[in-house]
Amino acid sequence: MTPLKYLWIFLLCSLPICAQQKREIINLETLSERARLLASQPYKAPKKKIPDELKKLTYDDYRNIRFRPSEALWWNSEIPFHVEFFHPGHIHQDLIDVYEISDTHSQKIPFLRQAFKYEKSNYDPGLLSQPSGYAGIRIKYPLNDPKVFDELVVFQGASYFRALGKNQVYGLSLRGISMNTTGDSEDFPKFTKLWLQKPPPESKTLKIFALLEGKKVTGAYEFELVPNGRTRIDVRAQLYYRQDGREEVGFAPMTSMFAFGENTEMKHNDWRPEVHDSDGLLIHSDREWIWHALDNIEGRNVKYFPAAKLNGYGLLQRDRAYHNYKDLEAAYQKRPSAWIEPRRHWKNGAVVLYTFYTANETVDNVVAFWKPDLSPDQETPEKLEYSIYLQLTEPEHELARVLETRIGGRTLDSSQQTIVIEFSRPDNITINEIELLSVDFRTGDLEVTGQPVIQYSQPEDRIRVFADFKTSSQKETIDLSARLLKDGHIISEKWSYTWSP
């Protein structure tokens, strides 16, 4: 056992720390009562501050503050989850209180600077006042190799968290809640406290509780992590609103990045064919499947997809071919898709897609969330349950899938554009039946020249739809859609696209 490990044990067993250990039951119900009491009072911003020296750290300096893996919570036990802690500094200035809990007790985990390496950070903690909390947590689990602990979930910053499954690398982020995301000034409620429920040895699940605090909303959250190839996170939450909070809330949000893809007309000055963490938004509503292909278009853009019965939605990385990215370091083909399935029945509402232009792949410019139809005078708390799946595969259905979207100038006619949509060929559609299909193609105000054409693409065993239209001079974006029909019945996902002339 290392000297630092003895130090952890000593500190956790010393009188001042033991005074923080108390008999307390932490679950969704007890946390909900805390959230309710907070919502009944005026909002107070957290008072916890970090030393100025930590605020001044550069990005590289901050990255060079390293947590010692041997100091992780549950490191020297049979529990297959290890919890590491993020040091505050640089842009990560919000402090989180972290607790370990059992069925009856709760104990705060103290900040220990001895658990970090500072050698290459240009920061000397010395005798400076130390922070009173951490900037977040990293949970590790043997995802890919029974002997290697990989990153599973990270909670850091506001209500953001990221998660991985087997053979995945970090891409999109998840959030506990969104507030006024499409407005002029977005609000970012924060997870201010996290409780880690100590699991029994060799447990395959881990439960985390979180307290959310914001200007117009408070909430209690329960996260149950189930790493099993594709990682599943079961979420239960209870929300309480202050004035106008219901009007701004978005449920189960996720944030991603799309810089350019095969459909982007004006590509960046870049050697790679495509750069994106997600390439589309998939929605399953009632019996309809909608695929909205992402693009990086100018300005801020908001699109609503109303749904009376939502079965699921998510930002997906559908393109899994390395040769479409050719980035050995970023490995965009391994970025996880996030699929959300409501538990119980969610209220009517709409999936909202908010995008804005970015010239930098380090900026997340895509947000998707569920906007419920809530009564402004509702007095009861909002109860929310859903599951998140982090996976390299997709939700199963028998329809033709949208695989590619391409738009460009028509050959030998600069006054026209051509749009090409490629669908997979379902097993129940033979090659000879493709010529019998029709397409429901909706092009808004675009002037289409001739009828859309359906072809069989033999090299890739796909169904191709293409149409020519007059180049538009208008500046507003245009919403397009298409779906394949056989004898009047829908046999494909509904392709949806926002085109910027």
Side-chain angles (χ1 to χ4, degrees):
M1 186 177 292
T2 66
L4 279 174
K5 185 61 65 177
Y6 283 117
L7 180 61
W8 271 104
I9 294 174
F10 171 78
L11 286 173
L12 288 173
C13 294
S14 63
L15 287 177
I17 299 301
C18 286
Q20 296 182 26
Q21 183 180 29
K22 54 184 178 181
R23 188 171 182 83
E24 182 180 38
I25 296 176
I26 298 294
N27 54 38
L28 188 62
E29 288 69 32
T30 58
L31 279 190
S32 295
E33 178 60 17
R34 293 194 191 192
R36 185 190 68 79
L37 290 174
L38 285 172
S40 67
Q41 305 166 4
Y43 172 73
K44 294 181 180 179
K47 295 182 179 179
K48 295 180 180 179
K49 305 283 185 184
I50 68 172
D52 289 339
E53 291 79 8
L54 290 174
K55 296 179 183 178
K56 296 176 183 177
L57 291 179
T58 66
Y59 172 79
D60 289 331
D61 288 340
Y62 178 72
R63 281 176 56 86
N64 282 322
I65 298 179
R66 307 286 186 176
F67 185 83
R68 302 175 188 270
S70 60
E71 306 310 310
L73 185 66
W74 308 324
W75 174 79
N76 195 21
S77 73
E78 297 300 318
I79 297 172
F81 297 92
H82 294 174
V83 183
E84 300 181 354
F85 303 89
F86 286 108
H87 199 289
H90 187 46
I91 63 173
H92 303 289
Q93 300 178 18
D94 294 326
L95 297 180
I96 303 175
D97 292 331
V98 185
Y99 300 81
E100 180 191 39
I101 60 173
S102 65
D103 291 337
T104 58
H105 289 77
S106 171
Q107 177 170 284
K108 184 177 179 180
I109 298 173
F111 178 87
L112 288 179
R113 63 188 179 198
Q114 295 87 348
F116 296 91
K117 297 178 182 179
Y118 296 92
E119 290 88 351
K120 299 181 180 181
S121 67
N122 293 319
Y123 173 74
D124 182 3
L127 298 177
L128 296 173
S129 59
Q130 62 185 25
S132 59
Y134 295 98
I137 62 172
R138 176 194 290 118
I139 299 169
K140 290 186 172 182
Y141 181 87
L143 281 173
N144 302 293
D145 186 322
K147 298 180 181 180
V148 178
F149 279 76
D150 306 295
E151 290 195 25
L152 173 65
V153 176
V154 164
F155 285 83
Q156 187 178 30
S159 69
Y160 281 84
F161 59 102
R162 297 197 295 173
L164 293 173
K166 186 176 182 179
N167 297 324
Q168 300 172 17
V169 299
Y170 278 130
L172 53 71
S173 297
L174 304 159
R175 293 160 66 179
I177 203 167
S178 70
M179 294 294 289
N180 201 32
T181 297
T182 60
D184 293 332
S185 179
E186 185 171 9
D187 184 26
F188 293 93
K190 300 176 177 62
F191 289 140
T192 56
K193 298 179 187 296
L194 296 174
W195 288 265
L196 302 159
Q197 188 169 66
K198 186 176 182 179
E202 301 181 359
S203 174
K204 301 300 183 182
T205 64
L206 176 64
K207 192 171 289 188
I208 302 170
F209 297 94
L211 181 66
L212 179 83
E213 297 186 57
K215 295 177 182 178
K216 296 185 178 182
V217 65
T218 64
Y221 283 74
E222 175 189 287
F223 300 94
E224 186 166 14
L225 311 181
V226 186
N228 183 22
R230 64 170 187 175
T231 293
R232 189 183 85 230
I233 305 176
D234 295 328
V235 183
R236 296 170 63 211
Q238 195 150 308
L239 304 172
Y240 298 84
Y241 303 104
R242 295 189 176 95
Q243 186 176 4
D244 301 328
R246 283 184 174 84
E247 300 174 7
E248 299 180 3
V249 70
F251 293 163
M254 58 190 81
T255 303
S256 192
M257 178 275 296
F258 187 98
F260 57 89
E262 74 267 356
N263 55 310
T264 306
E265 292 184 74
M266 298 299 293
K267 287 187 171 59
H268 296 195
N269 183 21
D270 200 299
W271 57 269
R272 296 165 294 182
E274 301 181 38
V275 171
H276 47 75
D277 289 334
S278 308
D279 54 7
L281 170 67
L282 183 66
I283 302 169
H284 184 199
S285 173
D286 297 321
R287 297 182 179 180
E288 183 176 52
W289 291 83
I290 301 172
W291 173 262
H292 183 86
L294 296 176
D295 202 351
N296 187 10
I297 58 180
E298 295 288 343
R300 302 168 61 201
N301 302 274
V302 182
K303 188 169 178 62
Y304 293 85
F305 299 88
K309 181 183 178 182
L310 180 69
N311 299 309
Y313 72 97
L315 290 172
L316 272 57
Q317 185 77 308
R318 180 164 273 183
D319 189 342
R320 294 292 174 189
Y322 162 76
H323 63 259
N324 287 332
Y325 304 102
K326 292 189 177 294
D327 193 321
L328 294 171
E329 182 178 0
Y332 286 108
Q333 73 278 6
K334 295 183 179 181
R335 303 294 169 109
S337 297
W339 180 249
I340 289 177
E341 289 185 354
R343 299 303 178 200
R344 299 184 176 179
H345 175 66
W346 284 12
K347 295 179 179 178
N348 292 351
V351 176
V352 180
L353 177 65
Y354 170 63
T355 65
F356 59 89
Y357 178 79
T358 181
N360 192 330
E361 68 189 271
T362 63
V363 175
D364 285 343
N365 62 327
V366 179
V367 183
F369 57 90
W370 176 251
K371 183 69 174 175
D373 296 335
L374 300 179
S375 172
D377 56 357
Q378 177 182 329
E379 295 183 0
T380 57
E382 200 73 49
K383 295 184 178 181
L384 187 63
E385 292 187 29
Y386 58 96
S387 293
I388 310 169
Y389 297 90
L390 286 304
Q391 54 196 36
L392 299 178
T393 57
E394 298 188 22
E396 295 183 0
H397 62 68
E398 297 180 352
L399 300 174
R401 300 175 186 267
V402 181
L403 299 180
E404 286 188 15
T405 301
R406 297 180 183 273
I407 297 182
R410 184 182 180 187
T411 306
L412 304 179
D413 189 346
S414 60
S415 69
Q416 296 190 41
Q417 299 280 108
T418 298
I419 185 165
V420 178
I421 312 158
E422 295 203 348
F423 295 87
S424 65
R425 182 177 66 84
D427 292 337
N428 59 358
I429 300 295
T430 67
I431 295 174
N432 293 332
E433 289 178 308
I434 292 177
E435 63 181 20
L436 303 177
L437 302 180
S438 60
V439 59
D440 177 15
F441 206 147
R442 313 236 171 147
T443 57
D445 296 331
L446 288 179
E447 182 183 348
V448 179
T449 57
Q451 294 296 318
V453 177
I454 301 175
Q455 290 181 326
Y456 174 59
S457 175
Q458 187 274 333
E460 296 180 295
D461 190 25
R462 294 179 177 181
I463 301 172
R464 173 176 291 186
V465 175
F466 70 89
D468 299 320
F469 53 89
K470 292 286 186 181
T471 303
S472 176
S473 60
Q474 71 179 65
K475 296 182 180 180
E476 293 80 12
T477 58
I478 300 172
D479 289 329
L480 310 174
S481 70
R483 50 190 172 187
L484 295 173
L485 306 174
K486 180 185 178 185
D487 299 326
H489 298 286
I490 297 171
I491 65 161
S492 75
E493 297 173 339
K494 179 181 178 180
W495 169 79
S496 171
Y497 192 64
T498 301
W499 183 60
S500 179

